[in-house]
């Protein structure tokens, strides 16, 4: 009798718990915006599973905010649809860096385009579909859009994503560790061919206006020279370093160049993207420029190589995979607690919530007196200054 009573009590307790869960059932959505990064699918999986285990519904918004303008671009996410995607690169929801609803290009039949603010339509569709919250996964551009929607009344939680690692408020963003690992492996491979031909190999890595990928992969890959945006370089100093190596019998060299590296008294090298308009420029070309200057000034056989989007592709590292899963689960907990206009962030060893406004207020860059830079100098690496 006692066992039956205890069992019945558990049934009633579980039933009451289930009624409470159902009364708090939520319908949330998630999108991924900006450049792709390894770990996006892991966030999607974590959000879906954490929500599902709370009895909630989850929907994926395709191509950034496009799915909230064209609601046919919305998919119902269930455990079977996200099973095992944490190890897969890219994003099953698609991404775009051209879909800012506050400045959306709209073209007529004549091909004439103008930018319009369609944010009210996005918000109206969000409410019409009955969503309780949006998990916005992206870099500073996507998170800025999320913050603007929060100001319009949309419950938003941000998840920091960028291989550049330049988002404020978090020690690291997912995608960065994978990009550095890929760049380091490439540098390791270039050592053998450079050594075989007594050649200088100049490798360009991504990072925009931050040198995190360059300095981390360069030091780990035993580079001779590392050029980053935070330390303007003098090409004469670079060439002097290479010739000193030559005198010591080190006839080949590896030079790692961040795409946003800046020569003293000069500027970054950019190219325009005609699809994104006259005002949009893309960093790139500094490695080729540096290689030409080294060849002219030293006579060394010098080649340049741009790693480009290789750094964004493939499966996330264990670190990025776990961080992405932690971020996704933390985002769902934040929704459960009713905390919005916030961003999940890593402040080792904890995942915390940071106001989006605070995270967006400062673009993180390499500190020139940081331990990492000092380590590079102690190892004899030249930064061109």
């Amino acid at each position: 009798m006692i066992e039956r009573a205890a069992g019945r009590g558990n049934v009633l307790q579980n039933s009451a718990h289930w009624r409470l869960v159902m009364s708090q059932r939520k319908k949330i959505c998630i999108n991924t915006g900006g450049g792709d990064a390894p770990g996006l699918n892991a966030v999607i999986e974590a959000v879906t599973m954490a929500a599902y285990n709370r009895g909630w519904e989850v929907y994926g918004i395709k191509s950034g905010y496009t799915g909230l303008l064209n609601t046919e671009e919305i998919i119902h996410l269930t455990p079977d649809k996200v099973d095992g995607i944490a190890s897969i690169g890219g994003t099953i929801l698609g991404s775009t860096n051209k879909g800012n609803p506050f400045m959306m290009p709209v073209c007529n039949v004549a091909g004439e385009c103008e930018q319009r603010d369609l944010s009210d339509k996005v918000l109206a569709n969000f409410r019409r579909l009955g969503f309780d919250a949006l998990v916005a996964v992206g870099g500073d551009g996507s998170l800025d859009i999320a913050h603007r929607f929060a100001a319009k009344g949309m419950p938003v939680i941000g998840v920091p994503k960028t291989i550049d690692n330049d988002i404020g408020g978090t020690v690291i963003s997912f995608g960065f560790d994978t990009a550095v690992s890929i760049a380091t492996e490439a540098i390791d491979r270039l050592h053998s061919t450079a050594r075989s031909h007594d050649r200088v190999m100049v490798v360009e890595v991504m990072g925009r206006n931050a040198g995190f990928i360059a300095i981390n992969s360069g030091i780990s890959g035993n580079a001779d020279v590392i050029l980053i945006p935070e330390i303007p370089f003098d090409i004469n100093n670079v060439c002097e370093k290479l010739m000193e190596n030559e005198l010591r019998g080190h006839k080949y060299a590896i030079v790692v160049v961040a795409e946003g590296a800046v020569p003293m008294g000069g500027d970054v090298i950019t190219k325009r993207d005609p699809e994104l308009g006259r005002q949009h420029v893309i960093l790139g070309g500094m490695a080729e420029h540096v290689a030409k200057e080294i060849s002219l000034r030293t006579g060394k056989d010098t080649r340049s190589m741009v790693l480009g989007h290789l750094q964004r592709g493939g499966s996330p590292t264990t670190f990025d995979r776990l961080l992405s899963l932690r971020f996704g689960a933390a985002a769902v907990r934040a929704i459960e607690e009713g905390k919005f206009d916030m961003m999940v962030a890593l402040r080792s060893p904890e995942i915390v919530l940071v106001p989006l406004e605070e995270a967006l207020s400062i673009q993180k860059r390499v500190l020139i007196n940081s331990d990492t830079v000092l380590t590079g100098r102690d190892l004899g690496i030249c930064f061109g200054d």
Side-chain angles (χ1 to χ4, degrees):
M1 292 294 294
I2 295 175
E3 290 182 358
R4 288 184 180 180
R8 180 175 173 79
N10 287 336
V11 170
L12 290 174
Q13 185 179 20
N14 291 338
S15 176
H17 174 70
W18 179 247
R19 286 197 300 271
L20 177 63
V21 168
M22 292 302 291
S23 69
Q24 296 175 339
R25 188 169 185 172
K26 296 184 184 296
K27 182 178 180 181
I28 68 173
C29 57
I30 179 173
N31 69 353
T32 54
D36 61 304
L40 283 166
N41 281 328
V43 177
I44 296 169
E45 179 175 340
V47 168
T48 302
M49 294 307 301
Y52 175 81
N53 287 326
R54 286 167 169 78
W56 301 357
E57 289 185 88
V58 186
Y59 290 82
I61 310 299
K62 286 193 171 184
S63 302
Y65 289 89
T66 304
L68 283 171
L69 289 171
N70 176 13
T71 54
E72 294 180 358
E73 294 290 308
I74 297 177
I75 61 174
H76 187 201
L77 294 175
T78 54
D80 61 303
K81 290 182 179 177
V82 301
D83 183 33
I85 66 172
S87 63
I88 302 172
T91 165
I92 63 170
L93 297 179
S95 189
T96 179
N97 53 11
K98 306 176 185 178
N100 183 351
F102 292 90
M103 295 187 296
M104 187 70 74
V106 178
C107 303
N108 58 28
V109 292
E112 300 171 333
C113 301
E114 63 176 352
Q115 291 185 335
R116 294 183 185 174
D117 184 350
L118 302 182
S119 60
D120 285 341
K121 182 178 180 181
V122 168
L123 184 60
N125 284 338
F126 175 88
R127 290 171 172 166
R128 178 177 61 81
L129 293 168
F131 291 130
D132 295 294
L134 167 69
V135 178
V137 190
D140 54 1
S142 299
L143 294 179
D144 179 65
I145 294 171
H147 180 51
R148 295 178 69 178
F149 272 117
K152 292 173 76 75
M154 182 185 290
V156 174
I157 290 293
V159 177
K161 173 268 333 170
T162 172
I163 68 169
D164 306 324
N165 198 38
D166 58 356
I167 296 177
T170 182
V171 171
I172 195 170
S173 52
F174 75 85
F176 172 68
D177 186 70
T178 305
V180 170
S181 297
I182 292 170
T184 302
E185 181 181 354
I187 293 167
D188 287 344
R189 292 177 179 275
L190 288 173
H191 273 279
S192 58
T193 185
R195 184 186 296 110
S196 298
H197 296 275
D198 293 338
R199 181 175 290 160
V200 177
M201 297 296 299
V202 183
V203 188
E204 182 174 302
V205 298
M206 286 182 165
R208 293 197 303 179
N209 298 314
F212 290 106
I213 295 177
I215 194 167
N216 280 269
S217 63
I219 292 177
S220 300
N222 197 31
D224 300 280
V225 177
I226 301 174
L227 306 179
I228 60 176
E230 294 84 353
I231 305 177
F233 68 90
D234 185 335
I235 192 64
N236 292 315
N237 293 339
V238 173
C239 294
E240 183 178 340
K241 167 65 176 179
L242 300 181
M243 297 313 295
E244 286 178 359
N245 285 357
E246 182 97 4
L247 293 173
R248 293 198 301 267
H250 190 71
K251 296 183 179 181
Y252 78 97
I254 301 293
V255 179
V256 177
V257 181
E259 62 183 355
V262 182
M264 290 182 181
D267 203 352
V268 295
I269 294 179
T270 62
K271 55 185 177 181
R272 297 189 182 279
D273 185 339
E275 293 185 7
L276 298 180
R278 293 183 178 181
Q279 302 303 317
H280 190 91
V281 294
I282 299 175
L283 295 172
M286 186 56 76
E288 183 180 3
H289 169 74
V290 169
K292 287 181 179 179
E293 289 296 319
I294 291 174
S295 180
L296 286 172
R297 293 165 186 260
T298 68
K300 294 283 294 180
D301 181 9
T302 308
R303 307 294 173 87
S304 65
M305 177 181 180
V306 179
L307 294 185
H309 289 80
L310 279 173
Q311 297 156 92
R312 294 189 180 278
S315 299
T317 59
T318 300
F319 180 89
D320 272 340
R321 199 175 305 182
L322 178 58
L323 181 62
S324 299
L325 292 169
R326 293 174 69 190
F327 276 168
V332 172
R333 292 196 297 271
I335 293 172
E336 187 174 44
E337 295 169 6
K339 296 177 180 178
F340 300 111
D341 198 15
M342 307 287 280
M343 182 189 82
V344 296
L346 175 65
R347 290 189 178 172
S348 300
E350 304 295 331
I351 301 294
V352 301
L353 292 176
V354 177
L356 274 171
E357 184 176 14
E358 176 185 327
L360 294 166
S361 63
I362 300 176
Q363 185 182 53
K364 192 167 62 176
R365 305 188 73 194
V366 175
L367 299 177
I368 61 175
N369 61 346
S370 66
D371 173 77
T372 307
V373 173
L374 295 177
T375 297
R377 294 192 189 279
D378 286 339
L379 294 172
I381 296 173
C382 171
F383 288 92
D385 55 345

PDB file of all heavy atoms in Angstrom, residues 43-70:
ATOM      1  N   VAL A  43      25.055  25.041 -32.784  1.00  0.00           N
ATOM      2  CA  VAL A  43      24.147  25.945 -32.067  1.00  0.00           C
ATOM      3  C   VAL A  43      22.698  25.588 -32.377  1.00  0.00           C
ATOM      4  O   VAL A  43      21.852  25.524 -31.479  1.00  0.00           O
ATOM      5  CB  VAL A  43      24.418  27.417 -32.447  1.00  0.00           C
ATOM      6  CG1 VAL A  43      23.415  28.336 -31.747  1.00  0.00           C
ATOM      7  CG2 VAL A  43      25.828  27.824 -32.082  1.00  0.00           C
ATOM      8  N   ILE A  44      22.410  25.347 -33.653  1.00  0.00           N
ATOM      9  CA  ILE A  44      21.048  24.989 -34.058  1.00  0.00           C
ATOM     10  C   ILE A  44      20.598  23.710 -33.359  1.00  0.00           C
ATOM     11  O   ILE A  44      19.476  23.613 -32.855  1.00  0.00           O
ATOM     12  CB  ILE A  44      20.971  24.822 -35.594  1.00  0.00           C
ATOM     13  CG1 ILE A  44      21.254  26.154 -36.294  1.00  0.00           C
ATOM     14  CG2 ILE A  44      19.596  24.292 -36.006  1.00  0.00           C
ATOM     15  CD1 ILE A  44      21.462  26.040 -37.793  1.00  0.00           C
ATOM     16  N   GLU A  45      21.494  22.719 -33.301  1.00  0.00           N
ATOM     17  CA  GLU A  45      21.147  21.466 -32.637  1.00  0.00           C
ATOM     18  C   GLU A  45      20.879  21.684 -31.151  1.00  0.00           C
ATOM     19  O   GLU A  45      19.898  21.172 -30.595  1.00  0.00           O
ATOM     20  CB  GLU A  45      22.271  20.436 -32.810  1.00  0.00           C
ATOM     21  CG  GLU A  45      21.967  19.112 -32.124  1.00  0.00           C
ATOM     22  CD  GLU A  45      23.011  18.044 -32.385  1.00  0.00           C
ATOM     23  OE1 GLU A  45      23.778  18.157 -33.371  1.00  0.00           O
ATOM     24  OE2 GLU A  45      23.065  17.075 -31.589  1.00  0.00           O
ATOM     25  N   ALA A  46      21.737  22.469 -30.496  1.00  0.00           N
ATOM     26  CA  ALA A  46      21.580  22.697 -29.059  1.00  0.00           C
ATOM     27  C   ALA A  46      20.296  23.446 -28.750  1.00  0.00           C
ATOM     28  O   ALA A  46      19.571  23.104 -27.794  1.00  0.00           O
ATOM     29  CB  ALA A  46      22.784  23.463 -28.514  1.00  0.00           C
ATOM     30  N   VAL A  47      19.995  24.479 -29.523  1.00  0.00           N
ATOM     31  CA  VAL A  47      18.768  25.244 -29.308  1.00  0.00           C
ATOM     32  C   VAL A  47      17.546  24.344 -29.497  1.00  0.00           C
ATOM     33  O   VAL A  47      16.609  24.356 -28.687  1.00  0.00           O
ATOM     34  CB  VAL A  47      18.703  26.459 -30.259  1.00  0.00           C
ATOM     35  CG1 VAL A  47      17.303  27.089 -30.261  1.00  0.00           C
ATOM     36  CG2 VAL A  47      19.740  27.501 -29.865  1.00  0.00           C
ATOM     37  N   THR A  48      17.552  23.553 -30.565  1.00  0.00           N
ATOM     38  CA  THR A  48      16.416  22.681 -30.853  1.00  0.00           C
ATOM     39  C   THR A  48      16.209  21.652 -29.753  1.00  0.00           C
ATOM     40  O   THR A  48      15.085  21.459 -29.260  1.00  0.00           O
ATOM     41  CB  THR A  48      16.625  21.967 -32.200  1.00  0.00           C
ATOM     42  OG1 THR A  48      16.781  22.938 -33.242  1.00  0.00           O
ATOM     43  CG2 THR A  48      15.439  21.076 -32.529  1.00  0.00           C
ATOM     44  N   MET A  49      17.291  20.995 -29.335  1.00  0.00           N
ATOM     45  CA  MET A  49      17.151  19.942 -28.328  1.00  0.00           C
ATOM     46  C   MET A  49      16.798  20.508 -26.956  1.00  0.00           C
ATOM     47  O   MET A  49      15.958  19.955 -26.240  1.00  0.00           O
ATOM     48  CB  MET A  49      18.450  19.133 -28.252  1.00  0.00           C
ATOM     49  CG  MET A  49      18.762  18.335 -29.508  1.00  0.00           C
ATOM     50  SD  MET A  49      17.391  17.265 -30.025  1.00  0.00           S
ATOM     51  CE  MET A  49      17.191  16.236 -28.566  1.00  0.00           C
ATOM     52  N   ALA A  50      17.430  21.630 -26.579  1.00  0.00           N
ATOM     53  CA  ALA A  50      17.137  22.233 -25.278  1.00  0.00           C
ATOM     54  C   ALA A  50      15.695  22.714 -25.220  1.00  0.00           C
ATOM     55  O   ALA A  50      15.021  22.596 -24.179  1.00  0.00           O
ATOM     56  CB  ALA A  50      18.092  23.390 -25.002  1.00  0.00           C
ATOM     57  N   ALA A  51      15.197  23.244 -26.328  1.00  0.00           N
ATOM     58  CA  ALA A  51      13.804  23.706 -26.378  1.00  0.00           C
ATOM     59  C   ALA A  51      12.842  22.515 -26.388  1.00  0.00           C
ATOM     60  O   ALA A  51      11.829  22.507 -25.678  1.00  0.00           O
ATOM     61  CB  ALA A  51      13.589  24.579 -27.610  1.00  0.00           C
ATOM     62  N   TYR A  52      13.152  21.517 -27.196  1.00  0.00           N
ATOM     63  CA  TYR A  52      12.294  20.337 -27.300  1.00  0.00           C
ATOM     64  C   TYR A  52      12.152  19.655 -25.943  1.00  0.00           C
ATOM     65  O   TYR A  52      11.061  19.208 -25.568  1.00  0.00           O
ATOM     66  CB  TYR A  52      12.887  19.369 -28.321  1.00  0.00           C
ATOM     67  CG  TYR A  52      12.142  18.053 -28.429  1.00  0.00           C
ATOM     68  CD1 TYR A  52      10.979  17.946 -29.193  1.00  0.00           C
ATOM     69  CD2 TYR A  52      12.602  16.918 -27.769  1.00  0.00           C
ATOM     70  CE1 TYR A  52      10.287  16.745 -29.290  1.00  0.00           C
ATOM     71  CE2 TYR A  52      11.916  15.712 -27.858  1.00  0.00           C
ATOM     72  CZ  TYR A  52      10.771  15.630 -28.617  1.00  0.00           C
ATOM     73  OH  TYR A  52      10.083  14.443 -28.695  1.00  0.00           O
ATOM     74  N   ASN A  53      13.233  19.569 -25.194  1.00  0.00           N
ATOM     75  CA  ASN A  53      13.192  18.925 -23.884  1.00  0.00           C
ATOM     76  C   ASN A  53      12.432  19.741 -22.847  1.00  0.00           C
ATOM     77  O   ASN A  53      12.201  19.266 -21.732  1.00  0.00           O
ATOM     78  CB  ASN A  53      14.613  18.635 -23.400  1.00  0.00           C
ATOM     79  CG  ASN A  53      15.256  17.484 -24.152  1.00  0.00           C
ATOM     80  OD1 ASN A  53      14.571  16.531 -24.541  1.00  0.00           O
ATOM     81  ND2 ASN A  53      16.553  17.560 -24.389  1.00  0.00           N
ATOM     82  N   ARG A  54      12.046  20.960 -23.208  1.00  0.00           N
ATOM     83  CA  ARG A  54      11.182  21.789 -22.362  1.00  0.00           C
ATOM     84  C   ARG A  54       9.745  21.782 -22.872  1.00  0.00           C
ATOM     85  O   ARG A  54       8.891  22.492 -22.345  1.00  0.00           O
ATOM     86  CB  ARG A  54      11.718  23.223 -22.305  1.00  0.00           C
ATOM     87  CG  ARG A  54      12.965  23.381 -21.435  1.00  0.00           C
ATOM     88  CD  ARG A  54      13.624  24.735 -21.658  1.00  0.00           C
ATOM     89  NE  ARG A  54      14.655  25.013 -20.664  1.00  0.00           N
ATOM     90  CZ  ARG A  54      15.880  24.493 -20.674  1.00  0.00           C
ATOM     91  NH1 ARG A  54      16.227  23.663 -21.646  1.00  0.00           N
ATOM     92  NH2 ARG A  54      16.752  24.801 -19.727  1.00  0.00           N
ATOM     93  N   GLY A  55       9.502  21.025 -23.930  1.00  0.00           N
ATOM     94  CA  GLY A  55       8.164  20.980 -24.499  1.00  0.00           C
ATOM     95  C   GLY A  55       7.856  22.128 -25.429  1.00  0.00           C
ATOM     96  O   GLY A  55       6.691  22.396 -25.732  1.00  0.00           O
ATOM     97  N   TRP A  56       8.882  22.828 -25.900  1.00  0.00           N
ATOM     98  CA  TRP A  56       8.693  23.979 -26.774  1.00  0.00           C
ATOM     99  C   TRP A  56       8.760  23.568 -28.245  1.00  0.00           C
ATOM    100  O   TRP A  56       9.251  22.500 -28.592  1.00  0.00           O
ATOM    101  CB  TRP A  56       9.764  25.046 -26.530  1.00  0.00           C
ATOM    102  CG  TRP A  56       9.836  25.585 -25.141  1.00  0.00           C
ATOM    103  CD1 TRP A  56       9.021  25.272 -24.075  1.00  0.00           C
ATOM    104  CD2 TRP A  56      10.796  26.526 -24.649  1.00  0.00           C
ATOM    105  NE1 TRP A  56       9.405  25.969 -22.952  1.00  0.00           N
ATOM    106  CE2 TRP A  56      10.498  26.742 -23.276  1.00  0.00           C
ATOM    107  CE3 TRP A  56      11.865  27.199 -25.214  1.00  0.00           C
ATOM    108  CZ2 TRP A  56      11.247  27.608 -22.490  1.00  0.00           C
ATOM    109  CZ3 TRP A  56      12.607  28.067 -24.443  1.00  0.00           C
ATOM    110  CH2 TRP A  56      12.295  28.271 -23.086  1.00  0.00           C
ATOM    111  N   GLU A  57       8.329  24.487 -29.096  1.00  0.00           N
ATOM    112  CA  GLU A  57       8.472  24.327 -30.546  1.00  0.00           C
ATOM    113  C   GLU A  57       9.603  25.229 -31.036  1.00  0.00           C
ATOM    114  O   GLU A  57       9.792  26.330 -30.515  1.00  0.00           O
ATOM    115  CB  GLU A  57       7.183  24.716 -31.266  1.00  0.00           C
ATOM    116  CG  GLU A  57       6.034  23.744 -31.086  1.00  0.00           C
ATOM    117  CD  GLU A  57       4.850  24.166 -31.945  1.00  0.00           C
ATOM    118  OE1 GLU A  57       4.780  23.756 -33.126  1.00  0.00           O
ATOM    119  OE2 GLU A  57       4.000  24.925 -31.436  1.00  0.00           O
ATOM    120  N   VAL A  58      10.322  24.760 -32.043  1.00  0.00           N
ATOM    121  CA  VAL A  58      11.427  25.539 -32.603  1.00  0.00           C
ATOM    122  C   VAL A  58      11.289  25.600 -34.122  1.00  0.00           C
ATOM    123  O   VAL A  58      10.997  24.587 -34.776  1.00  0.00           O
ATOM    124  CB  VAL A  58      12.800  24.918 -32.251  1.00  0.00           C
ATOM    125  CG1 VAL A  58      13.926  25.838 -32.722  1.00  0.00           C
ATOM    126  CG2 VAL A  58      12.913  24.646 -30.767  1.00  0.00           C
ATOM    127  N   TYR A  59      11.526  26.791 -34.663  1.00  0.00           N
ATOM    128  CA  TYR A  59      11.457  26.986 -36.109  1.00  0.00           C
ATOM    129  C   TYR A  59      12.733  27.663 -36.588  1.00  0.00           C
ATOM    130  O   TYR A  59      13.268  28.555 -35.924  1.00  0.00           O
ATOM    131  CB  TYR A  59      10.230  27.821 -36.489  1.00  0.00           C
ATOM    132  CG  TYR A  59       8.928  27.078 -36.284  1.00  0.00           C
ATOM    133  CD1 TYR A  59       8.344  27.012 -35.020  1.00  0.00           C
ATOM    134  CD2 TYR A  59       8.307  26.415 -37.334  1.00  0.00           C
ATOM    135  CE1 TYR A  59       7.170  26.311 -34.813  1.00  0.00           C
ATOM    136  CE2 TYR A  59       7.122  25.715 -37.138  1.00  0.00           C
ATOM    137  CZ  TYR A  59       6.564  25.663 -35.874  1.00  0.00           C
ATOM    138  OH  TYR A  59       5.410  24.962 -35.669  1.00  0.00           O
ATOM    139  N   GLY A  60      13.205  27.234 -37.739  1.00  0.00           N
ATOM    140  CA  GLY A  60      14.401  27.810 -38.332  1.00  0.00           C
ATOM    141  C   GLY A  60      14.041  28.829 -39.393  1.00  0.00           C
ATOM    142  O   GLY A  60      13.243  28.543 -40.301  1.00  0.00           O
ATOM    143  N   ILE A  61      14.605  30.020 -39.271  1.00  0.00           N
ATOM    144  CA  ILE A  61      14.395  31.092 -40.242  1.00  0.00           C
ATOM    145  C   ILE A  61      15.529  31.027 -41.257  1.00  0.00           C
ATOM    146  O   ILE A  61      16.685  31.206 -40.908  1.00  0.00           O
ATOM    147  CB  ILE A  61      14.396  32.475 -39.561  1.00  0.00           C
ATOM    148  CG1 ILE A  61      13.455  32.474 -38.353  1.00  0.00           C
ATOM    149  CG2 ILE A  61      14.021  33.565 -40.557  1.00  0.00           C
ATOM    150  CD1 ILE A  61      12.026  32.179 -38.674  1.00  0.00           C
ATOM    151  N   LYS A  62      15.216  30.777 -42.493  1.00  0.00           N
ATOM    152  CA  LYS A  62      16.256  30.605 -43.508  1.00  0.00           C
ATOM    153  C   LYS A  62      16.821  31.944 -43.978  1.00  0.00           C
ATOM    154  O   LYS A  62      16.116  32.951 -44.023  1.00  0.00           O
ATOM    155  CB  LYS A  62      15.719  29.813 -44.700  1.00  0.00           C
ATOM    156  CG  LYS A  62      15.543  28.333 -44.416  1.00  0.00           C
ATOM    157  CD  LYS A  62      15.330  27.564 -45.715  1.00  0.00           C
ATOM    158  CE  LYS A  62      15.379  26.073 -45.473  1.00  0.00           C
ATOM    159  NZ  LYS A  62      15.260  25.323 -46.741  1.00  0.00           N
ATOM    160  N   SER A  63      18.113  31.911 -44.316  1.00  0.00           N
ATOM    161  CA  SER A  63      18.803  33.057 -44.930  1.00  0.00           C
ATOM    162  C   SER A  63      18.655  34.338 -44.114  1.00  0.00           C
ATOM    163  O   SER A  63      18.161  35.354 -44.596  1.00  0.00           O
ATOM    164  CB  SER A  63      18.304  33.291 -46.359  1.00  0.00           C
ATOM    165  OG  SER A  63      18.511  32.128 -47.143  1.00  0.00           O
ATOM    166  N   GLY A  64      19.095  34.273 -42.868  1.00  0.00           N
ATOM    167  CA  GLY A  64      19.040  35.457 -42.021  1.00  0.00           C
ATOM    168  C   GLY A  64      17.614  35.823 -41.672  1.00  0.00           C
ATOM    169  O   GLY A  64      16.873  35.026 -41.096  1.00  0.00           O
ATOM    170  N   TYR A  65      17.206  37.039 -42.033  1.00  0.00           N
ATOM    171  CA  TYR A  65      15.846  37.492 -41.739  1.00  0.00           C
ATOM    172  C   TYR A  65      14.931  37.336 -42.945  1.00  0.00           C
ATOM    173  O   TYR A  65      13.745  37.675 -42.875  1.00  0.00           O
ATOM    174  CB  TYR A  65      15.864  38.959 -41.287  1.00  0.00           C
ATOM    175  CG  TYR A  65      16.467  39.138 -39.912  1.00  0.00           C
ATOM    176  CD1 TYR A  65      17.836  39.338 -39.759  1.00  0.00           C
ATOM    177  CD2 TYR A  65      15.679  39.078 -38.765  1.00  0.00           C
ATOM    178  CE1 TYR A  65      18.397  39.477 -38.504  1.00  0.00           C
ATOM    179  CE2 TYR A  65      16.234  39.217 -37.502  1.00  0.00           C
ATOM    180  CZ  TYR A  65      17.599  39.416 -37.383  1.00  0.00           C
ATOM    181  OH  TYR A  65      18.144  39.550 -36.141  1.00  0.00           O
ATOM    182  N   THR A  66      15.467  36.802 -44.047  1.00  0.00           N
ATOM    183  CA  THR A  66      14.668  36.653 -45.265  1.00  0.00           C
ATOM    184  C   THR A  66      13.432  35.808 -45.017  1.00  0.00           C
ATOM    185  O   THR A  66      12.356  36.076 -45.553  1.00  0.00           O
ATOM    186  CB  THR A  66      15.513  36.025 -46.389  1.00  0.00           C
ATOM    187  OG1 THR A  66      16.680  36.825 -46.601  1.00  0.00           O
ATOM    188  CG2 THR A  66      14.723  35.941 -47.687  1.00  0.00           C
ATOM    189  N   GLY A  67      13.602  34.788 -44.163  1.00  0.00           N
ATOM    190  CA  GLY A  67      12.475  33.917 -43.872  1.00  0.00           C
ATOM    191  C   GLY A  67      11.332  34.599 -43.146  1.00  0.00           C
ATOM    192  O   GLY A  67      10.201  34.098 -43.140  1.00  0.00           O
ATOM    193  N   LEU A  68      11.601  35.733 -42.511  1.00  0.00           N
ATOM    194  CA  LEU A  68      10.533  36.482 -41.853  1.00  0.00           C
ATOM    195  C   LEU A  68       9.922  37.528 -42.782  1.00  0.00           C
ATOM    196  O   LEU A  68       8.995  38.234 -42.405  1.00  0.00           O
ATOM    197  CB  LEU A  68      11.047  37.137 -40.576  1.00  0.00           C
ATOM    198  CG  LEU A  68      11.209  36.170 -39.387  1.00  0.00           C
ATOM    199  CD1 LEU A  68      11.941  36.856 -38.234  1.00  0.00           C
ATOM    200  CD2 LEU A  68       9.850  35.641 -38.932  1.00  0.00           C
ATOM    201  N   LEU A  69      10.459  37.622 -43.987  1.00  0.00           N
ATOM    202  CA  LEU A  69       9.836  38.438 -45.026  1.00  0.00           C
ATOM    203  C   LEU A  69       9.057  37.533 -45.972  1.00  0.00           C
ATOM    204  O   LEU A  69       7.949  37.856 -46.392  1.00  0.00           O
ATOM    205  CB  LEU A  69      10.909  39.211 -45.806  1.00  0.00           C
ATOM    206  CG  LEU A  69      11.585  40.347 -45.046  1.00  0.00           C
ATOM    207  CD1 LEU A  69      12.775  40.881 -45.830  1.00  0.00           C
ATOM    208  CD2 LEU A  69      10.595  41.473 -44.754  1.00  0.00           C
ATOM    209  N   ASN A  70       9.641  36.392 -46.284  1.00  0.00           N
ATOM    210  CA  ASN A  70       8.977  35.365 -47.080  1.00  0.00           C
ATOM    211  C   ASN A  70       8.815  34.153 -46.179  1.00  0.00           C
ATOM    212  O   ASN A  70       9.727  33.341 -46.033  1.00  0.00           O
ATOM    213  CB  ASN A  70       9.809  35.024 -48.314  1.00  0.00           C
ATOM    214  CG  ASN A  70       9.209  33.890 -49.127  1.00  0.00           C
ATOM    215  OD1 ASN A  70       8.061  33.514 -48.918  1.00  0.00           O
ATOM    216  ND2 ASN A  70       9.997  33.339 -50.037  1.00  0.00           N
TER     217      ASN A  70
END
